Amino acid sequence: MSGLEASSNEALELKEEKDFDVELEGNPDFDYRHDPFEYLFYRDRKEWSDLEPVPQDDGPNPVVRIAYSEKFTDVFDYFRALLKNDEKSERAFTLTAEAIELNAANYTVWHYRRVLLQALEKDLRQEMRYITAIIEEQPKNYQVWHHRRMVVEWLSDPSEELEFIADILSQDAKNYHAWQHRQWVIQEYKLWDSELEFVERLLEEDVRNNSAWNQRHFVISHTTGYSDPAILDREVQYCLCQIRKAPHNESVWNYLKGILQDRGLSSHPGLLERVLELKETQCSPYLLAFLVDSYEDALETNNTRATLNQAQEVCALLAQVKDTIRREYWLFLGRSLESKYGPTAAPQSDAAPSDAADQQELS
Amino acid sequence: MSEEGNQIEEFEQIDFLKDRHVRFFQRSLQVLPERYSSLETTRLTIVFFALSGLDVLDALHVIDKDNMIEWIYSLQVLPTEDESNMQRCGFRGSSHIGLPYSSKGPGTAHPYDSGHIAMTYTGLASLLLLGDDLSRVNKRACLTGLKALQLEDGSFYAVPEGSENDMRFIYCAACICYMLDDWSGMDIHKAIEYIRRSMSYDNGIGQGAGLESHGGSTFCAVASLRLMGRLEETLSERELDRIRRWCIMRQQTGFHGRPNKPVDTCYSFWVGATLELLDVFQYTNYEKNRNYILSTQDRLVGGFAKWPDSHPDPLHAYFGLCGLSLLGEPELMKVHPALNVTQRAFQHLQQLQQAWRDNVSSCT
């Protein structure tokens, strides 16, 4: 506390000295905001003396009160004063930057800054540089990304976006805000051309990056689509290749299932065989789940006891050995399959009626 | 000797420190240090986490409910005399705009004073769990403010001045309409279309169309549909099975929010509650889930963190508790998986709504 008092006294003394030092005041390099010995509260700045600061009022029994420092309180008391008068001035604009530095999550400050950007016809290119720096510091803040989107829209200029987002993703390849902004830019400004290449680069760096797999689906579904059998097969082969390299990867299996499930998992020629091969050397809970789903898909059009048994076997394998954390779920799934398909399953050709009944008993 | 040692270690890891959590929430409700300044505009959500957390702990008696209720009502953005601000009504997150404290109307005109959808939601939920009858809520104003936030694509802004829009705010809107028992505040059909468009190829649900499926947005979507009473008519049994599968695959020990991401305590609620709404939470592994949540417990300060040996915060403390409640932890109250308040608070709401309907019918 005494430290604070001392520095404000010193600041007062220095200010008095400065009144006679015209050159120093005009010096653009002089930034007393960050110099603890020079920092002046707004309440002590003569250019602000016309404004009455507005304190926060939480009433007699404040809840979740945040204990702000004197500096913080001072900045925001003046911010509140500007807000109340809806002042549209250069000094207001400058103050928003200081308020943002203290709390970049305050959406009211950002909104007010945008009002000022337009009212004062500020340089939006400079604003892009500003918001770039802020996002680099705080990439998981909602307000900064929204602000960037607004500036890009006003400029109608997405030319820096893909590179900027790539840089943010190089620091955190799964940042949801970054991916969301990226999808918006690409869709809004039709910047599809090099995105698949970008996705592949990321998947080479980390084949388990689920965000990249999602982006792959985003790009292809909005460009070529999956209807062309050549494209579909290319994607299936890509998946199988990635599975061989890193078998324990839920993302690739989700993608494979995702692009095939509405056409029928068991409809892609030769796939079931490939998966059964992979089962021997590159098994995983995801592979086995894919198998169960493939069998179920087959059962929908051709309900046989043989296929049902195969599905049950895999459920049992998952429950007992390969995915025991979900034991109860795989058992439940087995029961569901049995009750859905069991009663009307075409019997096995060499099974006696009593055998079929026994099999139902056991499961 | 080593067996004893192991037993003691196990005991230390997995015992639930109820009293510490009560004190953690009490402290959260008092004063937070400046490093929490980024929470200023969302303070009402912190209040909700603490109050609902205390409710789940059956410890609301430790706070002064009346004072709390007054403070929450002071955050209501009420219509001005000429009602020119109806589309901006709702609840604020805090007093950060600088209006003088007032817990009754009419509203004060201010160029930048508006409600925030998540604050209206948590404000109403907090009043409810404190036993308030919502009689001082200007329902018409809240619903007008809410309607003004919905976009053409069915999603919602958080504030009338504009913001990002995604599944979170659809959930907030659904909760508001559900609590006020009035769906005129939103176009349900458009919201449902947005939800459907947000379903991913991998059968989870993202924050919006094309976006990566995520445990949080999946909860928001499914819980919203449940609150609207449209879950079974919007999603086929096959689609529901696919969502069940996506959700159940999120369990690693505790739960994560996206494939190939680390687990995080709060997903024990987001994903756990979704599984509960879909009737398959019973098939998850309770022991591993419980052990994970408790490993993130802060034994000194109380509360829970997203990961072990990390700093606790009110959000993870609250959702950690809710995650344990879903597991049937003995000392905890049951939580309504769609509305995210205790069953007791939910029953209070049902009684209130019955009284509202009775009043309406007795007037006609």
Side-chain angles (χ1 to χ4, degrees):
Chain A
M1 271 313 269
S2 57
L4 271 170
E5 281 171 10
S7 61
S8 67
N9 280 337
E10 274 173 50
L12 211 64
E13 277 168 25
L14 285 157
K15 183 183 186 292
E16 280 156 8
E17 275 175 40
K18 276 204 285 343
D19 282 341
F20 302 105
D21 193 342
V22 176
E23 252 177 78
L24 193 57
E25 272 188 328
N27 185 346
D29 294 335
F30 176 66
D31 180 359
Y32 53 51
R33 291 183 301 140
H34 292 114
D35 185 335
F37 294 104
E38 303 292 345
Y39 185 82
L40 220 51
F41 293 127
Y42 282 84
R43 63 174 187 249
D44 298 322
R45 298 183 201 185
K46 64 178 194 313
E47 340 67 275
W48 290 85
S49 59
D50 61 298
L51 214 50
E52 190 65 39
V54 176
Q56 228 177 324
D57 184 1
D58 274 308
N61 302 297
V63 187
V64 186
R65 190 175 67 78
I66 299 170
Y68 293 113
S69 65
E70 216 176 339
K71 174 174 170 174
F72 201 116
T73 305
D74 176 67
V75 171
F76 273 91
D77 282 354
Y78 276 83
F79 171 71
R80 283 184 274 271
L82 291 167
L83 210 59
K84 184 174 170 189
N85 296 334
D86 203 2
E87 182 177 312
K88 310 254 175 48
S89 66
E90 195 56 45
R91 72 175 179 177
F93 184 73
T94 308
L95 190 140
T96 62
E98 206 169 344
I100 283 164
E101 198 177 346
L102 291 170
N103 180 9
N106 188 317
Y107 60 85
T108 306
V109 179
W110 283 107
H111 171 66
Y112 185 55
R113 187 179 174 90
R114 282 191 288 276
V115 168
L116 292 169
L117 278 169
Q118 299 196 289
L120 304 174
E121 294 178 338
K122 300 294 287 181
D123 181 351
L124 294 179
R125 301 270 165 211
Q126 191 169 344
E127 190 67 5
M128 279 299 289
R129 289 192 287 277
Y130 172 72
I131 195 61
T132 295
I134 306 273
I135 296 176
E136 292 279 355
E137 290 164 27
Q138 307 188 49
K140 294 204 171 182
N141 165 315
Y142 283 93
Q143 290 70 41
V144 300
W145 286 98
H146 176 67
H147 188 76
R148 188 185 181 96
R149 179 167 155 165
M150 296 305 297
V151 179
V152 168
E153 275 180 7
W154 289 343
L155 284 169
S156 299
D157 180 8
S159 63
E160 296 174 16
E161 297 317 279
L162 295 182
E163 192 181 329
F164 168 70
I165 300 163
D167 184 67
I168 297 293
L169 289 174
S170 72
Q171 296 161 53
D172 175 1
K174 303 180 184 183
N175 182 324
Y176 205 96
H177 304 270
W179 285 109
Q180 191 160 7
H181 187 76
R182 196 174 182 90
Q183 286 198 357
W184 169 74
V185 167
I186 288 174
Q187 198 149 21
E188 192 67 26
Y189 299 98
K190 304 182 182 12
L191 301 173
W192 303 98
D193 289 354
S194 47
E195 192 61 3
L196 187 56
E197 195 185 309
F198 177 73
V199 164
E200 294 216 342
R201 183 160 70 73
L202 286 189
L203 287 175
E204 264 163 60
E205 287 170 26
D206 177 8
V207 73
R208 293 188 179 84
N209 184 336
N210 196 68
S211 308
W213 282 102
N214 181 74
Q215 191 76 348
R216 189 180 185 94
H217 188 273
F218 174 73
V219 174
I220 294 176
S221 55
H222 281 94
T223 51
T224 56
Y226 290 92
S227 306
D228 180 354
I231 302 279
L232 192 60
D233 196 61
R234 181 197 75 194
E235 291 303 296
V236 171
Q237 297 316 315
Y238 182 79
C239 288
L240 293 173
C241 180
Q242 302 310 327
I243 288 165
R244 272 179 222 109
K245 285 198 269 178
H248 197 87
N249 178 4
E250 188 188 349
S251 298
V252 61
W253 284 103
N254 284 354
Y255 182 83
L256 182 61
K257 186 184 306 184
I259 62 178
L260 294 172
Q261 69 186 357
D262 290 330
R263 284 156 233 274
L265 287 182
S266 46
S267 70
H268 198 88
L271 182 59
L272 188 59
E273 287 70 29
R274 309 300 299 282
V275 175
L276 287 168
E277 272 168 31
L278 284 170
K279 179 167 173 280
E280 300 315 304
T281 48
Q282 266 105 345
C283 198
S284 70
Y286 321 113
L287 182 149
L288 296 171
F290 186 92
L291 264 186
V292 175
D293 295 335
S294 300
Y295 291 136
E296 180 168 20
D297 184 63
L299 287 169
E300 270 179 34
T301 47
N302 184 21
N303 183 1
T304 66
R305 188 75 247 176
T307 308
L308 185 52
N309 284 352
Q310 281 176 309
Q312 295 290 18
E313 237 177 74
V314 183
C315 283
L317 183 61
L318 282 160
Q320 290 156 26
V321 185
K322 296 289 190 172
D323 196 21
T324 56
I325 194 171
R326 271 166 280 277
R327 181 176 181 275
E328 295 305 319
Y329 172 76
W330 296 118
L331 292 174
F332 160 71
L333 197 63
R335 293 194 299 273
S336 305
L337 288 173
E338 192 58 45
S339 71
K340 188 170 177 188
Y341 296 101
T344 54
Q348 282 175 239
S349 52
D350 57 347
S354 58
D355 285 346
D358 284 345
Q359 287 198 337
Q360 276 207 323
E361 257 320 291
L362 282 166
S363 48
Chain B
M1 232 352 224
S2 61
E3 229 179 65
E4 247 179 58
N6 282 344
Q7 278 178 346
I8 290 170
E9 215 181 284
E10 264 175 52
F11 180 74
E12 277 180 309
Q13 278 182 338
I14 63 171
D15 64 321
F16 173 62
L17 301 169
K18 183 179 175 187
D19 290 336
R20 297 265 162 167
H21 304 305
V22 174
R23 288 199 293 278
F24 178 86
F25 287 128
Q26 280 178 292
R27 265 182 279 114
S28 306
L29 288 168
Q30 287 153 15
V31 187
L32 298 180
E34 190 181 270
R35 66 173 181 276
Y36 289 90
S37 60
S38 63
L39 299 179
E40 175 63 48
T41 55
T42 60
R43 278 163 61 199
L44 186 48
T45 66
I46 309 299
V47 170
F48 169 75
F49 294 143
L51 291 179
S52 199
L54 287 170
D55 196 14
V56 174
L57 289 163
D58 198 12
L60 275 175
H61 54 266
V62 307
I63 54 124
D64 185 328
K65 292 186 191 173
D66 290 334
N67 279 342
M68 200 66 67
I69 288 171
E70 282 310 298
W71 184 83
I72 295 170
Y73 272 118
S74 78
L75 296 174
Q76 189 174 190
V77 178
L78 289 161
T80 51
E81 295 275 10
D82 64 357
E83 294 198 346
S84 56
N85 68 335
M86 288 296 278
Q87 305 206 320
R88 288 159 54 193
C89 289
F91 281 72
R92 306 174 189 96
S94 77
S95 56
H96 71 276
I97 293 285
L99 288 170
Y101 179 87
S102 163
S103 54
K104 23 183 105 61
T108 311
H110 186 294
Y112 294 95
D113 186 31
S114 325
H116 182 296
I117 202 173
M119 311 308 146
T120 305
Y121 151 52
T122 49
L124 290 173
S126 298
L127 286 170
L128 214 57
L129 65 91
L130 289 170
D132 186 71
D133 65 359
L134 305 186
S135 57
R136 290 153 65 186
V137 173
N138 186 323
K139 301 185 179 81
R140 191 169 60 91
C142 282
L143 291 166
T144 305
L146 181 59
K147 208 169 173 69
L149 297 173
Q150 191 167 23
L151 292 151
E152 259 312 297
D153 70 359
S155 68
F156 287 78
Y157 284 141
V159 293
E161 290 80 8
S163 73
E164 71 277 14
N165 60 294
D166 54 50
M167 200 64 76
R168 296 172 298 155
F169 304 140
I170 288 191
Y171 176 68
C172 293
C175 287
I176 293 165
C177 290
Y178 189 88
M179 285 187 279
L180 297 181
D181 198 13
D182 190 333
W183 293 88
S184 68
M186 63 189 285
D187 183 326
I188 294 181
H189 176 73
K190 285 195 177 145
I192 291 178
E193 285 311 300
Y194 183 91
I195 290 172
R196 285 202 62 89
R197 284 197 307 275
S198 304
M199 289 162 64
S200 166
Y201 64 87
D202 71 357
N203 303 317
I205 302 175
Q207 287 291 352
L211 292 169
E212 190 182 2
S213 56
H214 185 283
S217 42
T218 301
F219 167 81
C220 288
V222 173
S224 294
L225 289 173
R226 167 67 81 221
L227 290 173
M228 292 172 193
R230 303 290 181 100
L231 185 56
E232 276 87 14
E233 79 178 56
T234 304
L235 299 168
S236 67
E237 198 56 36
R238 198 225 287 262
E239 285 170 329
L240 289 170
D241 279 338
R242 287 175 173 177
I243 298 174
R244 288 179 179 113
R245 171 74 65 82
W246 186 88
C247 289
I248 223 158
M249 293 305 291
R250 295 312 114 234
Q251 183 166 26
Q252 310 298 297
T253 47
F255 288 78
H256 60 198
R258 294 181 263 171
N260 288 319
K261 287 274 283 181
V263 292
D264 171 338
T265 291
C266 64
Y267 293 108
S268 288
F269 177 76
W270 299 126
V271 181
T274 308
L275 287 165
E276 177 63 30
L277 288 169
L278 298 172
D279 298 312
V280 290
F281 183 72
Q282 57 184 305
Y283 304 121
T284 59
N285 184 312
Y286 282 31
E287 197 181 346
K288 291 215 156 90
N289 190 12
R290 182 176 187 272
N291 287 351
Y292 179 73
I293 299 171
L294 289 173
S295 76
T296 68
Q297 186 177 220
D298 189 311
R299 303 186 63 83
L300 198 59
V301 149
F304 295 83
K306 63 194 296 192
W307 298 326
D309 306 314
S310 307
H311 292 295
D313 61 71
L315 182 148
H316 289 92
Y318 176 62
F319 289 115
L321 282 183
C322 290
L324 288 172
S325 167
L326 286 175
L327 291 163
E329 186 71 25
E331 297 168 281
L332 300 179
M333 298 284 110
K334 283 281 179 209
V335 173
H336 188 284
L339 196 55
N340 187 25
V341 290
T342 56
Q343 286 291 354
R344 173 180 44 203
F346 182 76
Q347 274 149 32
H348 169 65
L349 176 65
Q350 287 183 309
Q351 282 158 11
L352 263 185
Q353 293 181 342
Q354 188 56 56
W356 295 343
R357 275 178 235 126
D358 291 343
N359 278 343
V360 171
S361 55
S362 66
C363 281
T364 47

